[in-house]
Amino acid sequence: MSMNAKQRCVDNSILSDLCADDVEQAIVRALVQLGFQDEKTNNSRPVMMRLGPLNVQLSETPPEYATAGLPPFWIEIFDGASQGSIDSIGFNELDGAELAAAVEMIICAAGSR
């Protein structure tokens, strides 16, 4: 977890009830849930999370539909009220840097609501 994301949790505590550690844990749980989906679905069904005022979707592109150079995993943020897409980020393995970037994106989106 980047220090910037942890500080953003403190700085935005009035604007958002999301904490960086909670967001990180939710993403990791969703990734595990995505991995345990039935193989017949090719992991193509997204895992939905409700994080504060946001709906967050984690999905994996099935290998047969993957385009060269695009990350296989995506996190997309939707406004909870309008369901409009706010932002998204792709990642390859959800390593430390990718996880920190996803958390920061979600915290920023929640703080702007």
Side-chain angles (χ1 to χ4, degrees), residues 3-78:
M3 190 56 155
N4 191 17
K6 285 185 182 280
Q7 185 61 41
R8 190 174 306 278
C9 178
V10 173
D11 293 344
N12 287 340
S13 62
I14 295 172
L15 300 174
S16 169
D17 60 351
L18 293 180
C19 181
D21 288 336
D22 294 338
V23 172
E24 181 178 294
Q25 290 174 15
I27 293 171
V28 171
R29 281 192 306 270
L31 187 62
V32 169
Q33 186 178 349
L34 188 67
F36 279 105
Q37 285 186 0
D38 185 354
E39 289 183 20
K40 295 176 194 169
T41 67
N42 292 322
N43 291 340
S44 60
R45 289 187 320 209
V47 175
M48 298 297 291
M49 301 170 273
R50 178 76 175 172
L51 297 171
L54 307 173
N55 290 327
V56 180
Q57 174 180 294
L58 172 65
S59 60
E60 180 180 9
T61 304
E64 63 268 18
Y65 298 115
T67 304
L70 288 178
F73 298 99
W74 288 92
I75 293 178
E76 188 165 9
I77 303 172
F78 298 91

Side-chain angles (χ1 to χ4, degrees), residues 78-98:
F78 298 91
D79 180 272
S82 71
Q83 287 304 305
S85 179
I86 298 171
D87 205 351
S88 65
I89 189 171
F91 56 93
N92 292 305
E93 298 176 8
L94 200 62
D95 62 15
E98 291 175 327

